[in-house]
Amino acid sequence: MSTEAVVRAVLSAVSDHRAMRVLASLTSYNRVQGTIGLVDAAKHVQEVLLQEAGDSLEVELIKFGGTNVPDWMSAPTGWAIHEASVKVEGGTELTLEAHPTLAAAHTPPSGGEVSGEPLIVDREWWRPESYANAKGKVVVSPGNPYIVYRLASEAGAVAVALYSESAPPDAVPYKGLFLSRNEAANSTIPAVSIPRSLLGPLREGRRLTVRVDSDVRRDPGFPIVVAWIGDRDGKGPAAVAHICHPTPGANDNGSGSAAIAEAAIALSKLIDRGALAQPSSTIRFIWIPEYTGSSVAFTKTFKGLITQVLNFDMVGVEPGNGNGPLRVVASSLSAMGEADAALAEATDLVSEALGFEGHRLVAYDGGSDHDVATALGMPSAMLNGWPDVNYHTDLDDLDRVSRRMLRLSASVAAASVYALASSPPDPKAFRSQLLNTIVSRHLLSGDEVAARLARSLMARAMGLQESSGAPEGWPPKVDVTVKSRPPMIESLRAIARRSLDAALRVAGMMAAAGQQAYTVYLLEGVFLATPDRTLGEVASLLAAEYGTAAVSVERLTELFNLLADIKMVELG
């Protein structure tokens, strides 16, 4: 059956009304990792699938403890939040009831009210000297929550208040410390999130009073929900979505969770009634806690069974009004297959059928569970709307999500995962399209060097014919190779747990490197760093993907030398 015919069948079976009901239910759960609310949300997804899906879909809920998480992907403590408040002297008072993201995830309790003058650490938040006057004060910062919290604690601050520079002024951001149980048990100061609009009175020196009533406890179990069509122990592709994040979390990532639930229901009913043939490979739909759950799922629970991964993250908001396009995020050059080709083809066909023109093909970009699949060598692609003006805030509510977008993303999920399990598309045709797209964007930005690198070195890496030679001086003559490394470096927190000093230096490097630095250096840069590829060649491929302005071979070399110093990687 052609992909066009599969898409027509899927569109006839997908219900945006049902998907919206699932999403509405999910937004009522406080789905922070390490909480019972996340477990309850997973149970709800399991119940919906058992009630709504066809007989061909099997469903199971699996729980794992934090000690099961691989050592390169640390799990947060178990945590419960009961009450939180923030008061600005002579003005605003915020409460947890009105702002469910007010308490930073995994914060210890305050032990009553704590109060202090604000110390705003906005620029160079990664420098310990920025906290020299923090004793007895409330540190206010937009920096990495884990690192800010550690530096503020060590400097004698009484509390930490985190804000987001990119969120709407009155939005309370979602910030997570992701402390281990031991770290949380030995920490004594609370951490909260505040809207950017409070910076004005705080810059005037008005005192900030914080109260947090929370419990740091043994985790209640991290949930994985899996639904499958075919042999339980068979190999095949998986559609995944992370189910975590605080209430409401409608777009991030209630939308992805609802979309793949609807895809599983629709696909099972189509197969039950013979409208679609049983695929030759097993299809899985997996709901996980972000990073924590995918690391366990891919290395233990389904080890050796998942061949390719399609990740659905933030797929419910229409483009416009500050929200970006729906992006088909291609696979990393380190792990190529048919996943991105199937996702792109399904997105094109479904979008055409629904009259949607707001999608865009982009090179690999990080920040979700496709990173973990990539780290383990599984071809992976992501459907994702970005940017999102209310990303990680209490304004990410149900009224933002479009039924059309849920129908579109659910249909794309069903059609693409079915194609991978039955008749995958030609990846070379897709890679040619991707290469032409990247070259065109480089040329539009005036980056002729990156365009030539893409036509030469990137084309070769993708198994395509080179149409030009590499520019003079590329690859740079840096012959260092990486002999060994962890599968991935999930965040600055992972570096800080090994060496805080190293993490602070990396934070400064990333701040100087621009918005794409995390993807360029700590994800794709690490993925491409193998024993048979020099750092000069890695830098060349990164420049081909992201442009020469986004890549510095000196910075890349400095990063890996630093990681080698703390024995996180071994250089050759």
Side-chain angles (χ1 to χ4, degrees):
M1 180 182 286
S2 68
T3 306
E4 290 86 350
V6 172
V7 166
R8 285 195 297 272
V10 165
L11 284 168
S12 72
V14 163
S15 167
D16 53 337
H17 172 68
R18 183 167 52 210
M20 187 62 83
R21 283 193 289 113
V22 173
L23 172 59
S25 298
L26 285 176
T27 60
S28 68
Y29 294 98
N30 196 33
R31 311 183 306 274
V32 173
Q33 291 199 38
T35 67
I36 195 66
L38 178 59
V39 178
D40 290 341
K43 289 178 180 177
H44 176 71
V45 169
Q46 179 190 29
E47 291 169 0
V48 167
L49 295 172
L50 289 171
Q51 292 170 4
E52 300 282 355
D55 293 339
S56 59
L57 190 78
E58 302 289 338
V59 186
E60 184 178 3
L61 188 150
I62 303 161
K63 288 207 295 184
F64 65 90
T67 56
N68 296 105
V69 179
D71 58 6
W72 46 270
M73 183 71 68
S74 55
T77 183
W79 183 70
I81 180 66
H82 308 299
E83 188 178 352
S85 64
V86 173
K87 301 175 188 175
V88 178
E89 182 181 12
T92 306
E93 179 175 359
L94 306 176
T95 65
L96 185 68
E97 287 74 15
H99 304 281
T101 53
L102 186 65
H106 317 112
T107 175
S110 61
E113 284 191 346
V114 294
S115 180
E117 296 178 4
L119 174 66
I120 298 176
V121 183
D122 45 5
R123 297 177 182 175
E124 300 191 332
W125 53 262
W126 57 89
R127 294 188 181 277
E129 53 266 34
S130 299
Y131 301 78
N133 298 319
K135 188 171 183 178
K137 297 180 180 179
V138 178
V139 168
V140 180
S141 179
N144 178 277
Y146 178 85
I147 290 179
V148 169
Y149 186 80
R150 281 192 58 174
L151 291 175
S153 297
E154 292 174 7
V158 297
V160 169
L162 301 158
Y163 69 93
S164 171
E165 294 178 306
S166 60
D170 293 323
V172 175
Y174 161 47
K175 299 286 186 177
L177 302 181
F178 275 72
L179 301 174
S180 68
R181 189 180 180 197
N182 183 59
E183 287 173 325
N186 291 315
S187 299
T188 58
I189 69 172
V192 294
S193 299
I194 61 171
R196 187 160 45 91
S197 58
L198 292 188
L199 288 181
L202 293 180
R203 290 191 191 279
E204 297 172 0
R206 298 192 193 181
R207 293 177 68 87
L208 200 61
T209 300
V210 172
R211 184 175 187 276
V212 172
D213 181 9
S214 65
D215 291 326
V216 173
R217 54 177 64 172
R218 185 173 182 176
D219 69 68
F222 295 88
I224 297 173
V225 178
V226 58
W228 68 94
I229 297 172
D231 181 359
R232 177 193 180 97
D233 298 319
K235 294 184 178 182
V240 306
H242 73 80
I243 194 174
C244 57
H245 287 357
T247 181
N251 194 36
D252 188 14
N253 187 33
S255 63
S257 296
I260 70 167
E262 181 55 32
I265 293 167
L267 210 52
S268 66
K269 290 187 172 185
L270 288 168
I271 290 171
D272 281 1
R273 66 174 184 252
L276 292 178
Q278 180 82 21
S280 54
S281 300
T282 298
I283 293 175
R284 289 180 178 83
F285 300 88
I286 306 174
W287 295 259
I288 42 184
E290 192 172 22
Y291 274 19
T292 306
S294 51
S295 66
V296 172
F298 299 154
T299 62
K300 297 180 180 180
T301 313
F302 310 112
K303 184 178 181 179
L305 299 180
I306 298 174
T307 55
Q308 305 198 59
V309 171
L310 299 169
N311 183 32
F312 295 82
D313 190 354
M314 299 169 60
V315 293
V317 172
E318 296 272 358
N321 298 316
N323 298 306
L326 185 66
R327 305 181 307 159
V328 176
V329 178
S331 299
S332 163
L333 293 177
S334 68
M336 293 183 290
E338 297 91 15
D340 46 8
L343 187 65
E345 183 177 30
T347 303
D348 285 344
L349 291 170
V350 173
S351 296
E352 183 179 4
L354 297 182
F356 177 73
E357 298 179 349
H359 62 293
R360 182 182 183 191
L361 175 62
V362 299
Y364 167 77
D365 193 11
S368 190
D369 293 286
H370 61 302
D371 300 336
V372 181
T374 299
L376 299 169
M378 290 183 282
S380 181
M382 175 173 68
L383 193 68
N384 162 255
W386 188 258
D388 180 334
V389 294
N390 292 321
Y391 170 71
H392 276 200
T393 74
D394 60 343
L395 300 184
D396 184 15
D397 217 336
L398 186 64
D399 59 1
R400 308 180 60 234
V401 175
S402 152
R403 285 176 58 162
R404 178 175 77 152
M405 293 301 292
L406 281 185
R407 186 182 182 202
L408 186 150
S409 52
S411 300
V412 169
S416 55
V417 77
Y418 184 83
L420 286 175
S422 53
S423 181
D426 177 11
K428 282 201 170 183
F430 168 78
R431 290 173 197 168
S432 294
Q433 177 192 0
L434 175 63
L435 183 66
N436 290 335
T437 298
I438 290 173
V439 168
S440 295
R441 287 175 186 157
H442 289 331
L443 292 176
L444 284 172
S445 67
D447 196 345
E448 175 63 34
V449 171
R452 287 185 62 188
L453 285 170
R455 293 193 195 104
S456 54
L457 302 182
M458 188 174 180
R460 185 192 311 165
M462 297 170 78
L464 302 173
Q465 184 176 355
E466 300 174 48
S467 60
S468 71
E472 185 177 353
W474 295 85
K477 293 181 179 180
V478 180
D479 295 329
V480 176
T481 61
V482 178
K483 291 174 62 177
S484 64
R485 58 170 174 78
M488 68 178 289
I489 298 173
E490 54 96 5
S491 66
L492 287 173
R493 182 176 57 250
I495 302 173
R497 283 183 170 143
R498 186 174 291 247
S499 167
L500 180 58
D501 179 65
L504 301 180
R505 291 170 63 187
V506 173
M509 292 166 57
M510 296 300 101
Q515 289 185 339
Q516 281 192 298
Y518 174 64
T519 288
V520 172
Y521 292 100
L522 291 178
L523 289 174
E524 186 76 325
V526 170
F527 296 153
L528 291 172
T530 59
D532 59 351
R533 184 180 285 131
T534 69
L535 289 186
E537 291 168 334
V538 171
S540 300
L541 288 172
L542 292 174
E545 272 192 286
Y546 305 110
T548 56
V551 180
S552 161
V553 67
E554 292 80 13
R555 185 174 288 122
L556 182 72
T557 305
E558 182 184 357
L559 171 66
F560 276 96
N561 283 330
L562 183 58
L563 296 176
D565 288 343
I566 63 171
K567 302 190 184 311
M568 204 167 196
V569 305
E570 182 182 0
L571 301 180

